[in-house]
Amino acid sequence: MNQNNHPTDEPVEEIENEESLQYSFETIKLATDNFSEGNKIGEGGFGAGYKGRLSNGQDIAVKRLSMGSTQGDLEFINEVMLVAKLQHRNLVRLFGFSLEGSEKLLIYEFVQNANPRKRANLDWDRRYKIIGGMARGLLYLHEDSHLRIIHRDLKTSNILLDEEMNPKISDFGTAKLFVIDQTQGNTNRVVGT
């Protein structure tokens, strides 16, 4: 739990161990229809994104990290454990991961984009609320969370609007994790999705 307890923050559930966050590769492969092109929702510098549906009916977004990643398995798991504890209503939530052989997958909540008609009719009041939500999410990352994370790739495609037009910051692919009193980042410490 962060020290400032802003009303927009959600309570942080304690994560007991990595097994509670780990999904089998077969489960995610099945959920995404074998990572089919029809389920592909994006491509970034760190890998492709897919929409999926778990057997319990929950929609998920899956980031399939590039095979060329130099991050070791233990470092990957440790960083997933840290990032999974970040919970704020203006951040896309990380549910877990899958690690099998050279396959590294990150499993997120799926954010259903707002209806295009709603997006086309943005008045200034709604825009102001979206900007405020983005600022609250960044403040949480930079100041209020138990980690200090600098996003470093904030752009319009990394701000998702849910069905109610609430902004959620996504894609921490180039985010940097900082120690609380650290003033300069170690470029080898990349927290990634």
Side-chain angles (χ1 to χ4, degrees):
M1 184 78 80
N2 74 46
Q3 292 99 356
N4 295 339
N5 289 332
H6 292 288
T8 58
D9 297 341
E10 297 174 7
V12 175
E13 300 167 14
E14 279 304 310
I15 298 169
E16 297 297 322
N17 55 40
E18 66 193 59
E19 288 82 24
S20 66
L21 295 176
Q22 192 162 11
Y23 291 76
S24 77
F25 180 77
E26 285 303 315
T27 296
I28 303 305
K29 187 176 170 184
L30 183 64
T32 60
D33 193 23
N34 197 18
F35 304 99
S36 70
E37 282 297 313
N39 284 332
K40 195 170 191 180
I41 54 177
E43 182 97 33
F46 287 89
Y50 299 87
K51 180 180 180 184
R53 179 166 284 166
L54 297 173
S55 60
N56 67 3
Q58 181 174 19
D59 288 332
I60 56 171
V62 178
K63 182 85 160 207
R64 190 176 195 184
L65 300 178
S66 302
M67 296 286 188
S69 172
T70 58
Q71 188 179 43
D73 293 351
L74 184 58
E75 184 180 14
F76 171 75
I77 291 170
N78 287 338
E79 289 186 357
V80 166
M81 295 292 290
L82 290 173
V83 174
K85 292 179 183 179
L86 295 176
Q87 294 183 32
H88 188 277
R89 70 186 213 150
N90 296 112
L91 299 179
V92 173
R93 185 165 177 211
L94 177 68
F95 288 152
F97 70 98
S98 176
L99 181 62
E100 185 172 306
S102 62
E103 290 281 2
K104 292 178 182 169
L105 308 175
L106 294 166
I107 295 90
Y108 294 94
E109 73 173 303
F110 179 76
V111 177
Q112 180 66 48
N113 280 332
N115 177 317
R117 191 174 299 153
K118 279 186 181 178
R119 287 184 290 162
N121 296 320
L122 287 176
D123 59 21
W124 284 106
D125 185 52
R126 176 54 66 186
R127 291 172 198 232
Y128 182 77
K129 288 178 182 173
I130 291 169
I131 292 167
M134 291 168 35
R136 282 188 299 277
L138 285 174
L139 179 65
Y140 174 76
L141 287 174
H142 293 184
E143 300 287 331
D144 296 337
S145 73
H146 62 285
L147 303 174
R148 177 128 331 143
I149 294 182
I150 309 300
H151 191 288
R152 297 190 344 149
D153 193 27
L154 195 60
K155 55 190 176 189
T156 56
S157 61
N158 291 339
I159 304 296
L160 305 178
L161 298 177
D162 68 14
E163 291 175 327
E164 301 302 317
M165 299 291 286
N166 297 309
K168 290 192 175 251
I169 300 171
S170 70
D171 201 353
F172 292 78
T174 58
K176 274 184 144 177
L177 174 64
F178 286 83
V179 176
I180 293 300
D181 293 326
Q182 186 176 355
T183 58
Q184 293 183 343
N186 173 352
T187 58
N188 292 329
R189 289 297 319 263
V190 176
V191 176
T193 55

